[in-house]
Amino acid sequence: MLQLDELKDWGKGQTALVICGSPSAPADVRQSEWEGAHWISVNQHAALLPDLAWCYAHDPSMIEFLRDEIGVQCPIVSPQFAKLHGKDIYAGICPWVQLSGPEALWCADFMGYQKIFLCGVDSYEHTRRDYWHQFAKPENDKRFKGKRNPRKAAWGEIISKLRSPERVRTYNSNLNELLKARK
């Protein structure tokens, strides 16, 4: 098994599409420089696509779901060591913000991709929709209960720790503001 710190600048000169699960993902991908890019799935959101470079999974249950239910063949990158196998990548150095999309972005930045297109990140900021995760009931999730926009805080923390935020392109105006402030 590889350690993420062994892959610093592994993606140098390459383009990455980090595909999260919001409804804007297909439109965002169409706007991106996707030809020849490394496609990266955040959790199951793009895992059915062929030829993924890697897939990010924050939770052990998601690692099992990707492997056992979907049959993902690419390496899985995760801060959860126990469920990883031979070709997977242990991301123990990734900042722990408990949200897969920002953590996947940090890993792509650490890997040194020349351009990183962040697709499918709506963050539900203009709705009253609660955070949802298929393995946790939102009403029991203490990370998010009663907080106005915890996702924005997680993204902000990760963006503050990126090595090269100028490499990131996204179609989410709120994330663009966070990135602009960091550049």
Side-chain angles (χ1 to χ4, degrees), residues 7-18 32-33 54 104-119 158-159 161-171 175-176 178-180 182-183:
L7 298 175
K8 187 174 184 179
D9 296 327
W10 172 80
K12 189 175 183 175
Q14 300 290 323
T15 297
L17 262 66
V18 178
S32 302
E33 296 173 21
W54 49 277
L105 172 62
W106 189 90
C107 291
D109 178 67
F110 182 82
M111 289 182 189
Y113 284 98
Q114 182 177 341
K115 291 180 186 175
I116 303 168
F117 288 91
L118 189 54
C119 303
I158 286 294
I159 287 170
K161 295 176 180 179
L162 293 177
R163 294 183 331 158
S164 302
E166 68 279 356
R167 297 186 298 205
V168 180
R169 315 276 194 286
T170 184
Y171 305 100
L175 291 182
N176 279 328
L178 292 173
L179 286 161
K180 186 178 174 183
R182 173 69 166 76
K183 293 177 187 176

Side-chain angles (χ1 to χ4, degrees), residues 35-72:
E35 265 188 81
H38 286 190
W39 290 61
I40 299 157
S41 176
V42 175
N43 297 321
Q44 78 279 11
H45 302 301
L48 296 176
L49 295 171
D51 302 322
L52 287 171
W54 49 277
C55 186
Y56 187 87
H58 175 88
D59 301 307
S61 53
M62 181 57 70
I63 295 169
E64 291 177 322
F65 179 76
L66 287 167
R67 189 172 280 120
D68 300 340
E69 300 297 322
I70 294 180
V72 167

Side-chain angles (χ1 to χ4, degrees), residues 1 23 31 44 57 87-88 111-112 125 138 146-147 155 173 179:
M1 177 182 332
Q31 295 179 70
Q44 78 279 11
K87 67 179 177 178
D88 295 334
M111 289 182 189
E125 293 184 9
K147 295 181 182 175
W155 283 105
S173 60
L179 286 161

Side-chain angles (χ1 to χ4, degrees), residues 126-150:
H126 302 294
T127 71
R128 293 181 178 252
R129 181 176 176 192
D130 287 331
Y131 174 80
W132 176 84
H133 190 288
Q134 65 268 36
F135 298 116
K137 294 182 179 180
E139 62 272 12
N140 297 330
D141 195 332
K142 293 180 178 118
R143 297 175 297 169
F144 298 98
K145 194 165 184 114
K147 295 181 182 175
R148 187 161 194 284
N149 193 344

